């Protein structure tokens, strides 16, 4: 019986992955790795995505300043295809990947207030946007059903270019801080700047962090 994959954040150190699933790069190509691997999360390794011990010399701290995170969920309600729907959004969970914007720019527009207008799209667009959100920051509530994350059953770990690790269906040995956080779909900080470690909070974008890829 194949053991389930698991990620364990090491204090002031890397992300240790056991029984690792395939790890893919930003274009979907598989990165060769063993059943166990240490993934860099300080942002400084010369062997990214793998740890090379740079966190020690840099004095990397895995402690987070949760006093500065935006952990209050926001809700946006509208009528879509004759149904009352609410899109729930937790800012601290968002990695700013903009997958929702690419899925439906009419519904999701960060330059607009409110930035989410559900009735500007249809249900098919909303479902696609929810499924493409890598962080679980977006949840969809239809009528009286509970808010749902959209995630398939695939086990996956993919690296976002100049961004976090995108994880699906891998157990994480850490508290899931973030209102409405999903334990099956989440993003882990790779730049070392997140205020909500081990999770990404979008700080890589604010800091202009680059991972060395072209």
């Amino acid at each position: 019986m194949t053991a389930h994959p698991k990620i364990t954040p090491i204090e002031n150190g890397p992300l240790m992955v056991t029984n690792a699933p395939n790890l893919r790069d930003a274009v979907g190509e598989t990165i060769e790795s063993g059943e166990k691997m240490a993934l860099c999360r300080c942002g400084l390794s010369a062997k990214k995505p793998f740890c090379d011990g740079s966190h020690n010399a840099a004095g990397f701290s895995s402690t987070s300043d949760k006093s500065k995170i935006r952990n209050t969920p926001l809700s946006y309600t509208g009528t879509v295809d004759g149904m009352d729907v609410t899109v729930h959004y937790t800012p601290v969970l968002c990695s700013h990947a903009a997958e929702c914007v690419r899925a439906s720019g009419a519904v999701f527009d960060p330059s607009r207030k409110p930035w989410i207008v559900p009735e500007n799209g249809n249900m098919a667009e909303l479902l696609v946007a929810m499924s493409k959100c890598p962080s679980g920051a977006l949840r969809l509530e239809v009528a009286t059903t509970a808010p749902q994350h959209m995630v398939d059953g695939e086990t996956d770990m993919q690296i976002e270019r100049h961004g976090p690790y995108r994880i699906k269906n891998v157990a994480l040995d850490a508290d899931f801080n973030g209102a409405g956080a999903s334990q099956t779909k989440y993003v882990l900080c790779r730049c070392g700047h997140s205020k909500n470690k081990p999770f990404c909070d979008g700080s890589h974008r604010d800091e202009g962090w680059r991972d060395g890829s072209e």
Side-chain angles (χ1 to χ4, degrees):
M1 182 176 180
T2 303
H4 295 296
K6 182 179 180 179
I7 301 174
T8 302
I10 303 302
E11 185 176 6
N12 302 330
L15 299 168
M16 294 299 301
V17 186
T18 53
N19 304 310
N22 286 340
L23 175 65
R24 298 184 297 128
D25 62 20
V27 296
E29 296 294 328
T30 299
I31 299 174
E32 293 296 329
S33 62
E35 290 187 1
K36 293 184 178 181
M37 57 184 173
L39 297 178
C40 174
R41 64 169 175 149
C42 72
L44 301 172
S45 174
K47 297 181 179 180
K48 297 181 187 70
F50 303 109
C51 171
D52 68 354
S54 293
H55 57 275
N56 290 318
F60 169 72
S61 173
S62 58
T63 302
S64 299
D65 184 359
K66 291 183 171 57
S67 67
K68 296 182 179 180
I69 66 174
R70 298 174 62 202
N71 200 12
T72 301
L74 305 173
S75 298
Y76 305 86
T77 301
T79 301
V80 180
D81 293 345
M83 294 177 282
D84 293 331
V85 305
T86 301
V87 176
H88 300 277
Y89 168 67
T90 303
V92 71
L93 296 176
C94 184
S95 64
H96 304 303
E99 296 288 0
C100 59
V101 178
R102 285 186 281 274
S104 180
V107 174
F108 303 92
D109 183 354
S111 67
R112 176 187 64 204
K113 291 186 178 182
W115 81 280
I116 301 177
V117 182
E119 59 265 32
N120 282 1
N122 56 45
M123 189 59 67
E125 289 177 321
L126 284 179
L127 291 174
V128 169
M130 296 296 123
S131 67
K132 287 186 174 297
C133 172
S135 67
L138 294 173
R139 301 172 301 286
L140 182 64
E141 179 181 358
V142 180
T144 58
T145 62
Q148 298 290 321
H149 296 99
M150 302 298 171
V151 57
D152 57 37
E154 179 185 14
T155 298
D156 191 45
M157 297 180 64
Q158 183 170 13
I159 298 169
E160 182 180 313
R161 183 171 179 262
H162 308 318
Y165 301 103
R166 298 182 177 188
I167 313 297
K168 288 197 296 186
N169 297 308
V170 178
L172 177 67
D173 187 13
D175 292 333
F176 280 78
N177 186 62
S182 169
Q183 296 190 22
T184 55
K185 179 172 66 170
Y186 54 88
V187 286
L188 297 177
C189 176
R190 194 160 68 99
C191 71
H193 295 294
S194 175
K195 299 179 182 64
N196 191 36
K197 298 182 186 75
F199 302 98
C200 170
D201 66 355
S203 290
H204 59 278
R205 188 190 66 171
D206 300 334
E207 297 290 336
W209 183 73
R210 293 292 180 268
D211 59 15
S213 63
E214 297 181 357

